[in-house]
Amino acid sequence: MTFLLSRTCPFFVVALYLVLFLSGCAVTRTSALPPEEPARHTVAEFSDDERIADIADPWEGFNRSMYNFNYRFDKYFFLPVVRGYEFVVPTFARKGISNFFGNIGEFRTLYNSAFQLKGKKFLITFGRFLANSTIGIGGLLDPATPMGLAKQNEGFGQTLGHWNVDSGPYLVLPVLGPNNLRSAGGSAVDAGIRYALISVIDPLKGVDHGEIVLAGTSALEAVDARHRVPFRYYESGFPFEYDFIRFLYSKWDEMLLMK
């Protein structure tokens, strides 16, 4: 969970995509195996899964601790909040909120496309932002997609990879989930740039208690991000879920750099 607060949390986005992928993979297995909570096996017990076990994980002790922490944080705090959000906010409003935060996230793709000299992605993203900010009523609607301007995704971690910075060790971050050292550093840079932009633009200038409003907006963004991710810890049906997610994250990160 590329993925909580991957875009207030740019980190959470990372988790977001991973989790979407995982959830699709997990569906076919869940019916076959009863869930084990938490999983007690390791992939080393399964000789046929050596490719999964081959992913380097020098910080495995810390990573497994964080994975279990994230499971409990998700189960006992985050998901109850998300369920309350889904109960109170109607579907059309949730869709508008997701579109709005997605439109803000176009900034990250915009400058990272420029950093990577990807002119086509830059122009598509700029067109999306322009269309959704105007015709789409400030980003609440997404007319850009039916216009053929498909959403692109770039982060500073991908920018580093584009310029041949090594991924570094696998790393499970508290709350944000699967990463590697490069993607975690990239997300920190994206968060810093975002903070700097907000400070310069100051969209809440003149608003009473602007800091509280900003904090509430960030919290809403995090809840929206989790709402859009169907992944649930230890419900994949795999007895060695940690190893499998590590493997998928590694492949997903490689795939991003090929785009």
Side-chain angles (χ1 to χ4, degrees):
M1 219 136 357
T2 213
F3 358 17
L4 267 319
L5 321 171
S6 177
R7 266 126 212 205
T8 286
C9 307
F11 293 107
F12 196 42
V13 166
V14 172
L16 210 52
Y17 292 100
L18 167 65
V19 164
L20 287 171
F21 179 48
L22 281 177
S23 62
C25 296
V27 168
T28 57
R29 308 282 182 108
T30 306
S31 59
L33 295 173
E36 186 176 15
E37 186 183 297
R40 300 296 183 189
H41 299 279
T42 68
V43 73
E45 300 173 49
F46 301 84
S47 59
D48 291 339
D49 296 291
E50 292 181 357
R51 290 184 58 207
I52 294 179
D54 281 346
I55 303 300
D57 189 0
W59 300 335
E60 183 171 355
F62 171 82
N63 288 338
R64 284 187 180 274
S65 296
M66 286 302 101
Y67 193 87
N68 286 324
F69 168 80
N70 290 343
Y71 154 68
R72 290 179 173 80
F73 177 85
D74 204 47
K75 180 176 181 178
Y76 298 112
F77 177 72
F78 217 165
L79 290 181
V81 172
V82 170
R83 283 193 286 271
Y85 168 74
E86 292 171 341
F87 179 77
V88 171
V89 181
T91 301
F92 76 91
R94 295 200 301 266
K95 181 66 175 174
I97 290 170
S98 296
N99 288 337
F100 175 78
F101 287 124
N103 196 46
I104 292 176
E106 303 286 7
F107 275 113
R108 186 192 61 257
T109 296
L110 200 62
Y111 64 74
N112 279 293
S113 297
F115 290 163
Q116 298 174 47
L117 307 180
K118 294 181 177 178
K120 184 177 180 181
K121 274 194 174 183
F122 180 90
L123 292 174
I124 291 174
T125 302
F126 182 74
R128 280 185 57 82
F129 181 76
L130 196 61
N132 288 342
S133 299
T134 53
I135 305 172
I137 316 175
L140 294 175
L141 304 175
D142 179 20
T145 297
M147 291 168 63
L149 299 171
K151 187 171 181 59
Q152 312 292 311
N153 286 290
E154 293 289 349
F156 199 76
Q158 292 161 260
T159 297
L160 293 174
H162 178 78
W163 297 110
N164 299 319
V165 175
D166 187 73
S167 63
Y170 179 66
L171 176 62
V172 179
L173 293 172
V175 182
L176 306 179
N179 271 268
N180 55 43
L181 198 56
R182 182 182 62 208
S183 65
S187 295
V189 172
D190 283 328
I193 292 175
R194 174 181 169 130
Y195 178 79
L197 286 173
I198 291 175
S199 298
V200 171
I201 298 172
D202 195 8
L204 298 176
K205 185 178 181 180
V207 175
D208 292 338
H209 308 296
E211 292 181 356
I212 296 176
V213 173
L214 185 60
T217 304
S218 297
L220 177 61
E221 183 177 8
V223 171
D224 169 66
R226 187 65 185 98
H227 153 72
R228 289 184 282 121
V229 177
F231 175 78
R232 298 293 182 268
Y233 284 95
Y234 297 118
E235 292 185 9
S236 68
F238 287 93
F240 43 93
E241 182 177 284
Y242 170 88
D243 306 83
F244 188 63
I245 288 183
R246 182 183 60 195
F247 173 78
L248 285 182
Y249 177 80
S250 174
K251 296 305 173 188
W252 175 80
D253 187 60
E254 291 175 8
M255 181 185 69
L256 283 181
L257 298 184
M258 292 188 292
K259 288 185 176 180

